Amino acid sequence: APGAARRLLYVGRADPYKNAGLLIHCLADLRTSLPFPVELVMVGPRDPRYPDAENLARQLGVAEHVRWMNYLTQDELAATYTGCDVLVHPSRYEGFGLQILEAMASGLPVVCTDGGALPEVAGEAALIVPVDNRQALLDSIRRVLTEKGLAENLAVKGREQAAKFRWRASAERTMQAYRDARAGMQAPRS
């Protein structure tokens, strides 16, 4: 439906290098410049050390259009990927970018930055913009939301790109599980 809300998706932690504030700015811009409602789904653990994105959403008047979700099961995450219109990954640096491949495998178009390994992972299957370039990020998100052919083309290319990385993504998920377990054993002292 023309008036149906479009959903941007962010999957990741709240650390400053993930650059979620840039996405909040884009949400505010898109809500005033597009003829349909735009919402943002933020998936990842909230971290009291990094309240910037939540504070910014309130300051810009878009807090009620941001849905904050904590950890999701793999099934819940898969359903979230298919229920959104574009994954936006504004990170300044990424060692791998598993969420990009998961989105692509789900047929979700991806817009990401050129931070770290992201261009290698995304290949030709995403719109890639320079780190911290708000206008380029905004324009790319707008294109995916308004150009049906582009979104469909990215979905097809994304599935092909994700298939190339299936084993590597599995290894990365395993390594992340080890890192998470190790971090859990090294709980901070109070």
Side-chain angles (χ1 to χ4, degrees), residues 6-140:
R6 307 305 199 281
R7 287 187 184 85
L8 314 179
L9 175 62
Y10 170 86
V11 177
R13 296 193 318 267
D15 304 53
Y17 78 92
K18 294 288 191 175
N19 217 4
L22 188 64
L23 183 48
I24 301 289
H25 275 291
C26 288
L27 173 67
D29 292 341
L30 291 164
R31 287 194 54 80
T32 60
S33 66
L34 288 173
F36 45 78
V38 180
E39 299 169 355
L40 172 58
V41 178
M42 300 283 287
V43 175
R46 288 168 113 150
D47 190 326
R49 296 173 299 172
Y50 310 121
D52 298 0
E54 290 183 65
N55 293 340
L56 184 61
R58 280 192 292 275
Q59 289 164 19
L60 296 176
V62 295
E64 66 272 24
H65 306 290
V66 181
R67 196 160 108 221
W68 303 90
M69 303 173 87
N70 211 336
Y71 284 110
L72 299 180
T73 65
Q74 278 301 122
D75 287 346
E76 291 167 337
L77 184 57
T80 303
Y81 281 126
T82 58
C84 291
D85 296 282
V86 58
L87 176 84
V88 184
H89 198 63
S91 185
R92 292 186 178 106
Y93 176 81
E94 213 59 55
F96 186 69
L98 185 59
Q99 58 278 81
I100 286 176
L101 291 180
E102 289 176 338
M104 288 178 172
S106 302
L108 183 62
V110 171
V111 174
C112 66
T113 63
D114 59 3
L118 294 176
E120 174 198 344
V121 173
E124 302 289 313
L127 296 185
I128 302 172
V129 302
V131 166
D132 282 323
N133 187 325
R134 179 170 155 191
Q135 192 60 51
L137 189 66
L138 181 63
D139 291 345
S140 293

Side-chain angles (χ1 to χ4, degrees), residues 150-164:
L150 173 65
E152 289 170 353
N153 187 31
L154 288 173
V156 170
K157 285 182 171 178
R159 283 195 170 100
E160 293 168 358
Q161 183 71 1
K164 295 177 192 172

